[in-house]
Amino acid sequence: MGEPLGQLKVTVVRGKGLVIRDFKSSDPYVVVKLGNQTAKTKVIKSCLNPIWNEELSFTLAEPVGMLNLEVFDRDHFKADDKMGHAHISLQPIVSAARLRQILKVSSGETTLRKVAPDDDNCLARDSSISCIEGEVVQDMWLRLSDVKFIDSSFAGTR
């Protein structure tokens, strides 16, 4: 890991329309990875629309990489099933944080930039990066890849 840039807080909000991996439902949890750092949410039992609302923290450093998310179904007697994955480039939020410093934005709410879905991310729709009371925040909906059910999506922020 290179030069530290600061703290990255990822709030895993919820999943929507996840696929059934067990007999009638799934027991999903999320693993978030940034470089060699890994954090995971709690398991939500028997739920295809889980609500986690969990904050995971990472140290952000140069070079800025990708944030990777994997959703799994917890199994007791065999390996956990993969339910899908998503990735997001952190370069736009780092650039917006640098812009915040240049503009000396520290109070109120200011939109710094918008990010559109493309090959560098799994965004389901446009995402705004804002400065809210001095903190750079990006709200996003991510579309999971490698999922059989077409409408699976995932919400995260910051």
Side-chain angles (χ1 to χ4, degrees), residues 7-24:
Q7 249 340 77
L8 177 69
K9 296 177 189 173
V10 177
T11 303
V12 179
V13 179
R14 68 184 175 131
K16 180 180 166 191
L18 299 177
V19 295
I20 295 174
R21 290 288 188 222
D22 293 332
F23 181 64
K24 292 182 180 178

PDB file of all heavy atoms in Angstrom, residues 7-24:
ATOM      1  N   GLN A   7      -9.561   7.932   5.265  1.00  0.00           N
ATOM      2  CA  GLN A   7     -10.490   6.866   5.609  1.00  0.00           C
ATOM      3  C   GLN A   7     -11.595   6.779   4.580  1.00  0.00           C
ATOM      4  O   GLN A   7     -12.129   7.795   4.153  1.00  0.00           O
ATOM      5  CB  GLN A   7     -11.149   7.208   6.926  1.00  0.00           C
ATOM      6  CG  GLN A   7     -10.904   6.449   8.216  1.00  0.00           C
ATOM      7  CD  GLN A   7     -10.352   5.079   8.203  1.00  0.00           C
ATOM      8  OE1 GLN A   7      -9.164   4.903   8.003  1.00  0.00           O
ATOM      9  NE2 GLN A   7     -11.168   4.104   8.421  1.00  0.00           N
ATOM     10  N   LEU A   8     -11.944   5.572   4.208  1.00  0.00           N
ATOM     11  CA  LEU A   8     -13.088   5.323   3.335  1.00  0.00           C
ATOM     12  C   LEU A   8     -14.112   4.563   4.164  1.00  0.00           C
ATOM     13  O   LEU A   8     -13.814   3.490   4.688  1.00  0.00           O
ATOM     14  CB  LEU A   8     -12.690   4.505   2.112  1.00  0.00           C
ATOM     15  CG  LEU A   8     -13.830   4.126   1.163  1.00  0.00           C
ATOM     16  CD1 LEU A   8     -14.369   5.356   0.454  1.00  0.00           C
ATOM     17  CD2 LEU A   8     -13.365   3.095   0.158  1.00  0.00           C
ATOM     18  N   LYS A   9     -15.307   5.127   4.305  1.00  0.00           N
ATOM     19  CA  LYS A   9     -16.396   4.470   5.016  1.00  0.00           C
ATOM     20  C   LYS A   9     -17.408   3.993   3.988  1.00  0.00           C
ATOM     21  O   LYS A   9     -17.881   4.779   3.173  1.00  0.00           O
ATOM     22  CB  LYS A   9     -17.066   5.424   5.996  1.00  0.00           C
ATOM     23  CG  LYS A   9     -16.167   5.889   7.113  1.00  0.00           C
ATOM     24  CD  LYS A   9     -16.892   6.888   7.984  1.00  0.00           C
ATOM     25  CE  LYS A   9     -15.955   7.532   8.961  1.00  0.00           C
ATOM     26  NZ  LYS A   9     -16.606   8.620   9.707  1.00  0.00           N
ATOM     27  N   VAL A  10     -17.707   2.717   4.031  1.00  0.00           N
ATOM     28  CA  VAL A  10     -18.685   2.129   3.126  1.00  0.00           C
ATOM     29  C   VAL A  10     -19.865   1.698   3.966  1.00  0.00           C
ATOM     30  O   VAL A  10     -19.720   0.889   4.880  1.00  0.00           O
ATOM     31  CB  VAL A  10     -18.090   0.911   2.382  1.00  0.00           C
ATOM     32  CG1 VAL A  10     -19.151   0.258   1.499  1.00  0.00           C
ATOM     33  CG2 VAL A  10     -16.873   1.305   1.568  1.00  0.00           C
ATOM     34  N   THR A  11     -21.031   2.249   3.680  1.00  0.00           N
ATOM     35  CA  THR A  11     -22.237   1.822   4.381  1.00  0.00           C
ATOM     36  C   THR A  11     -22.999   0.877   3.454  1.00  0.00           C
ATOM     37  O   THR A  11     -23.472   1.292   2.396  1.00  0.00           O
ATOM     38  CB  THR A  11     -23.123   3.027   4.766  1.00  0.00           C
ATOM     39  OG1 THR A  11     -22.344   3.925   5.552  1.00  0.00           O
ATOM     40  CG2 THR A  11     -24.338   2.569   5.558  1.00  0.00           C
ATOM     41  N   VAL A  12     -23.061  -0.375   3.847  1.00  0.00           N
ATOM     42  CA  VAL A  12     -23.818  -1.363   3.092  1.00  0.00           C
ATOM     43  C   VAL A  12     -25.260  -1.236   3.561  1.00  0.00           C
ATOM     44  O   VAL A  12     -25.577  -1.530   4.711  1.00  0.00           O
ATOM     45  CB  VAL A  12     -23.274  -2.788   3.335  1.00  0.00           C
ATOM     46  CG1 VAL A  12     -24.094  -3.807   2.554  1.00  0.00           C
ATOM     47  CG2 VAL A  12     -21.800  -2.870   2.961  1.00  0.00           C
ATOM     48  N   VAL A  13     -26.114  -0.766   2.674  1.00  0.00           N
ATOM     49  CA  VAL A  13     -27.482  -0.445   3.056  1.00  0.00           C
ATOM     50  C   VAL A  13     -28.393  -1.652   2.915  1.00  0.00           C
ATOM     51  O   VAL A  13     -28.941  -2.147   3.891  1.00  0.00           O
ATOM     52  CB  VAL A  13     -28.017   0.757   2.250  1.00  0.00           C
ATOM     53  CG1 VAL A  13     -29.451   1.071   2.640  1.00  0.00           C
ATOM     54  CG2 VAL A  13     -27.122   1.965   2.450  1.00  0.00           C
ATOM     55  N   ARG A  14     -28.590  -2.121   1.687  1.00  0.00           N
ATOM     56  CA  ARG A  14     -29.531  -3.215   1.485  1.00  0.00           C
ATOM     57  C   ARG A  14     -29.309  -3.909   0.156  1.00  0.00           C
ATOM     58  O   ARG A  14     -28.625  -3.402  -0.723  1.00  0.00           O
ATOM     59  CB  ARG A  14     -30.973  -2.722   1.568  1.00  0.00           C
ATOM     60  CG  ARG A  14     -31.369  -1.808   0.424  1.00  0.00           C
ATOM     61  CD  ARG A  14     -32.780  -1.290   0.635  1.00  0.00           C
ATOM     62  NE  ARG A  14     -33.126  -0.326  -0.391  1.00  0.00           N
ATOM     63  CZ  ARG A  14     -34.248  -0.379  -1.090  1.00  0.00           C
ATOM     64  NH1 ARG A  14     -35.118  -1.350  -0.900  1.00  0.00           N
ATOM     65  NH2 ARG A  14     -34.513   0.548  -1.986  1.00  0.00           N
ATOM     66  N   GLY A  15     -29.926  -5.049  -0.002  1.00  0.00           N
ATOM     67  CA  GLY A  15     -29.983  -5.776  -1.262  1.00  0.00           C
ATOM     68  C   GLY A  15     -31.431  -5.856  -1.679  1.00  0.00           C
ATOM     69  O   GLY A  15     -32.339  -5.803  -0.847  1.00  0.00           O
ATOM     70  N   LYS A  16     -31.661  -5.979  -2.957  1.00  0.00           N
ATOM     71  CA  LYS A  16     -33.041  -6.007  -3.454  1.00  0.00           C
ATOM     72  C   LYS A  16     -33.172  -7.099  -4.510  1.00  0.00           C
ATOM     73  O   LYS A  16     -32.407  -7.134  -5.469  1.00  0.00           O
ATOM     74  CB  LYS A  16     -33.381  -4.642  -4.059  1.00  0.00           C
ATOM     75  CG  LYS A  16     -34.778  -4.527  -4.601  1.00  0.00           C
ATOM     76  CD  LYS A  16     -35.012  -3.144  -5.175  1.00  0.00           C
ATOM     77  CE  LYS A  16     -36.249  -3.099  -6.015  1.00  0.00           C
ATOM     78  NZ  LYS A  16     -36.363  -1.864  -6.773  1.00  0.00           N
ATOM     79  N   GLY A  17     -34.117  -7.969  -4.336  1.00  0.00           N
ATOM     80  CA  GLY A  17     -34.402  -9.005  -5.329  1.00  0.00           C
ATOM     81  C   GLY A  17     -33.271 -10.000  -5.502  1.00  0.00           C
ATOM     82  O   GLY A  17     -33.010 -10.430  -6.619  1.00  0.00           O
ATOM     83  N   LEU A  18     -32.620 -10.388  -4.409  1.00  0.00           N
ATOM     84  CA  LEU A  18     -31.547 -11.374  -4.505  1.00  0.00           C
ATOM     85  C   LEU A  18     -32.119 -12.739  -4.862  1.00  0.00           C
ATOM     86  O   LEU A  18     -33.303 -13.008  -4.649  1.00  0.00           O
ATOM     87  CB  LEU A  18     -30.766 -11.443  -3.182  1.00  0.00           C
ATOM     88  CG  LEU A  18     -30.074 -10.150  -2.755  1.00  0.00           C
ATOM     89  CD1 LEU A  18     -29.404 -10.331  -1.398  1.00  0.00           C
ATOM     90  CD2 LEU A  18     -29.058  -9.701  -3.792  1.00  0.00           C
ATOM     91  N   VAL A  19     -31.289 -13.610  -5.385  1.00  0.00           N
ATOM     92  CA  VAL A  19     -31.746 -14.915  -5.856  1.00  0.00           C
ATOM     93  C   VAL A  19     -31.817 -15.924  -4.718  1.00  0.00           C
ATOM     94  O   VAL A  19     -31.101 -15.826  -3.727  1.00  0.00           O
ATOM     95  CB  VAL A  19     -30.827 -15.454  -6.969  1.00  0.00           C
ATOM     96  CG1 VAL A  19     -30.895 -14.578  -8.198  1.00  0.00           C
ATOM     97  CG2 VAL A  19     -29.401 -15.596  -6.489  1.00  0.00           C
ATOM     98  N   ILE A  20     -32.675 -16.904  -4.893  1.00  0.00           N
ATOM     99  CA  ILE A  20     -32.790 -18.005  -3.936  1.00  0.00           C
ATOM    100  C   ILE A  20     -31.632 -18.960  -4.193  1.00  0.00           C
ATOM    101  O   ILE A  20     -31.429 -19.415  -5.317  1.00  0.00           O
ATOM    102  CB  ILE A  20     -34.142 -18.737  -4.106  1.00  0.00           C
ATOM    103  CG1 ILE A  20     -35.294 -17.807  -3.742  1.00  0.00           C
ATOM    104  CG2 ILE A  20     -34.171 -20.017  -3.265  1.00  0.00           C
ATOM    105  CD1 ILE A  20     -36.670 -18.390  -4.021  1.00  0.00           C
ATOM    106  N   ARG A  21     -30.878 -19.260  -3.151  1.00  0.00           N
ATOM    107  CA  ARG A  21     -29.761 -20.200  -3.259  1.00  0.00           C
ATOM    108  C   ARG A  21     -29.996 -21.443  -2.412  1.00  0.00           C
ATOM    109  O   ARG A  21     -29.367 -22.447  -2.604  1.00  0.00           O
ATOM    110  CB  ARG A  21     -28.447 -19.538  -2.825  1.00  0.00           C
ATOM    111  CG  ARG A  21     -27.967 -18.502  -3.784  1.00  0.00           C
ATOM    112  CD  ARG A  21     -27.461 -19.161  -5.042  1.00  0.00           C
ATOM    113  NE  ARG A  21     -26.832 -18.184  -5.889  1.00  0.00           N
ATOM    114  CZ  ARG A  21     -26.989 -18.131  -7.194  1.00  0.00           C
ATOM    115  NH1 ARG A  21     -27.742 -18.996  -7.802  1.00  0.00           N
ATOM    116  NH2 ARG A  21     -26.380 -17.217  -7.891  1.00  0.00           N
ATOM    117  N   ASP A  22     -30.892 -21.368  -1.440  1.00  0.00           N
ATOM    118  CA  ASP A  22     -31.245 -22.530  -0.638  1.00  0.00           C
ATOM    119  C   ASP A  22     -32.614 -23.022  -1.095  1.00  0.00           C
ATOM    120  O   ASP A  22     -33.107 -22.595  -2.134  1.00  0.00           O
ATOM    121  CB  ASP A  22     -31.261 -22.156   0.857  1.00  0.00           C
ATOM    122  CG  ASP A  22     -29.863 -21.817   1.371  1.00  0.00           C
ATOM    123  OD1 ASP A  22     -28.881 -22.346   0.815  1.00  0.00           O
ATOM    124  OD2 ASP A  22     -29.751 -21.034   2.320  1.00  0.00           O
ATOM    125  N   PHE A  23     -33.257 -23.846  -0.317  1.00  0.00           N
ATOM    126  CA  PHE A  23     -34.541 -24.440  -0.717  1.00  0.00           C
ATOM    127  C   PHE A  23     -35.618 -23.397  -0.979  1.00  0.00           C
ATOM    128  O   PHE A  23     -36.259 -23.398  -2.018  1.00  0.00           O
ATOM    129  CB  PHE A  23     -34.992 -25.445   0.343  1.00  0.00           C
ATOM    130  CG  PHE A  23     -36.277 -26.119   0.014  1.00  0.00           C
ATOM    131  CD1 PHE A  23     -36.387 -26.945  -1.104  1.00  0.00           C
ATOM    132  CD2 PHE A  23     -37.399 -25.942   0.801  1.00  0.00           C
ATOM    133  CE1 PHE A  23     -37.576 -27.562  -1.426  1.00  0.00           C
ATOM    134  CE2 PHE A  23     -38.601 -26.557   0.487  1.00  0.00           C
ATOM    135  CZ  PHE A  23     -38.688 -27.371  -0.615  1.00  0.00           C
ATOM    136  N   LYS A  24     -35.838 -22.464  -0.027  1.00  0.00           N
ATOM    137  CA  LYS A  24     -36.900 -21.472  -0.184  1.00  0.00           C
ATOM    138  C   LYS A  24     -36.401 -20.037  -0.164  1.00  0.00           C
ATOM    139  O   LYS A  24     -37.120 -19.131  -0.545  1.00  0.00           O
ATOM    140  CB  LYS A  24     -37.942 -21.620   0.925  1.00  0.00           C
ATOM    141  CG  LYS A  24     -38.755 -22.872   0.857  1.00  0.00           C
ATOM    142  CD  LYS A  24     -39.785 -22.890   1.966  1.00  0.00           C
ATOM    143  CE  LYS A  24     -40.615 -24.156   1.908  1.00  0.00           C
ATOM    144  NZ  LYS A  24     -41.583 -24.212   2.988  1.00  0.00           N
TER     145      LYS A  24
END
